[in-house]
Amino acid sequence: MLVCDNLNEIQKEIAAACEKVNRAKDDITLIAVTKYVTIERAEEAIEAGVLHLGENREEGLLAKYEALKDKPVWHFIGSLQTRKVKNIIDYVDYIHSLDRISLAKEIHKRANKKIKCFIQVNVSQEESKHGLAANEVVDFIKQLAPFTNIEVVGLMTMAPFTEDETLLRNCFRTLKELQQTIQQLSFNYAPCRELSMGMSNDYSIAIEEGATMIRIGTALVGNDK
Ligand SMILES: *Cc1c(COP(=O)(O)O)cnc(C)c1O
C-alpha cells in the first residue's frame, strides 16, 4: 500500500473520532513510526505530508536523520538507555520515554537546547512495559525541577495489547486524569499539555479519550522492510 493511501484512511478515522467527541482534528498530531521500515519508506511518508517521525532505536534514528535531516520533527519513542543519550540528543525534538531520574539527569547534562519530554507511564502495570506507575508520576515530576533543559510537555503510555475496548478506554482515561492532576499543580517546567497515546490498533479510542499525539507505524507505513 502507498503511504498516501494509508494516510488518507487514517485521516478519515481521525476526523471521525474527533467528530464523535467534538474535538478539532487539528488538535491531533500524527507521528509516523518508521522503526520497521526503510529510509525510502520514511521519505514517502514525508512526501505524503507527514510532518513528524518516530524512531525507537539509536541506529534507526541516526540512519534516518542522516538522510532526512530536519525535514520532519523527530520523536524518540523507545526505552532509552542512559549511555545512549549523548548519541541521539542533538537529533531529537521530543523524547517520549522519560521514566527515571538518572535519565533526566543525563538528558539535562547533554542537551544544548530544551528537550520536550513525555513521562512514560505504565498504566496497565504490565511487567513487560517500561514506565512509572501512575501513582509515582507527580512525585517524579517534582524531582525534575533542577533539570532545566527538560520541559515536561505531556504523558505517554502504551495500552495493553488487547481487543478489549473497556480496558483500553480505562487505560487512556487514567492517563488523562493524571494529566489534569498535574496541570492543576502548575509546575512551570511541566505544562503537560500533550497526551501521547494511541497506536495502529487503538488510536481512534485514544483520540476519543483525549490523545493529542498518536504514534502509528503498521497502519501507516507498514511493518516490514
Ligand atoms: C512501535 C511503536 C509504535 C507503533 O506501533 P504500531 O502498532 O506499529 O502502530 C508506537 N509507539 C511505540 C512506543 C512503539 O514502540
Side-chain angles (χ1 to χ4, degrees), residues 11-28:
Q11 280 169 338
K12 274 188 219 155
E13 295 265 334
I14 292 173
C18 283
E19 183 150 87
K20 231 167 137 180
V21 292
N22 232 328
R23 297 184 60 192
K25 60 184 193 307
D26 293 344
D27 290 349
I28 314 298

Side-chain angles (χ1 to χ4, degrees), residues 32-189:
V33 175
T34 51
K35 65 187 184 192
Y36 306 117
V37 300
T38 58
I39 291 168
E40 290 70 30
R41 192 73 167 163
E43 207 155 20
E44 193 187 330
I46 292 173
E47 275 156 21
V50 172
L51 303 173
H52 295 254
L53 294 193
E55 281 284 329
N56 70 339
R57 298 178 65 99
E58 175 189 335
E59 297 72 22
L61 174 77
L62 296 184
K64 291 195 178 72
Y65 185 89
E66 175 73 20
L68 305 171
K69 297 286 194 283
D70 288 324
K71 275 190 220 166
V73 175
W74 290 99
H75 297 256
F76 195 88
I77 61 169
S79 67
L80 178 54
Q81 290 172 278
T82 306
R83 65 186 167 83
K84 294 202 165 172
V85 168
K86 62 177 182 301
N87 305 337
I88 64 138
I89 196 77
D90 290 339
Y91 311 108
V92 297
D93 302 288
Y94 289 85
I95 293 174
H96 289 242
S97 47
L98 179 55
D99 62 357
R100 56 195 192 278
I101 292 297
S102 57
L103 181 59
K105 206 170 177 173
E106 183 69 6
I107 291 169
H108 172 72
K109 179 175 159 193
R110 302 287 182 179
N112 294 307
K113 60 175 188 226
K114 230 184 235 309
I115 306 290
K116 300 183 182 77
C117 293
F118 287 86
I119 312 289
Q120 184 167 350
V121 187
N122 186 358
V123 176
S124 51
Q125 294 276 318
E126 286 174 284
E127 275 195 28
S128 59
K129 292 213 168 83
H130 292 265
L132 294 161
N135 64 7
E136 298 171 328
V137 173
V138 168
D139 223 45
F140 180 75
I141 291 179
K142 287 181 183 162
Q143 293 176 60
L144 294 176
F147 307 117
T148 49
N149 283 334
I150 290 177
E151 181 181 20
V152 179
V153 295
L155 304 176
M156 177 274 211
T157 199
M158 290 176 81
F161 189 72
T162 174
E163 307 261 290
D164 184 337
E165 199 180 307
T166 308
L167 255 168
L168 291 169
R169 270 187 207 284
N170 285 341
C171 172
F172 297 140
R173 270 179 204 167
T174 302
L175 203 69
K176 174 82 193 177
E177 286 164 12
L178 187 54
Q179 178 197 34
Q180 288 165 337
T181 302
I182 293 160
Q183 286 181 330
Q184 279 159 14
L185 295 170
S186 302
F187 301 106
N188 58 2
Y189 58 90

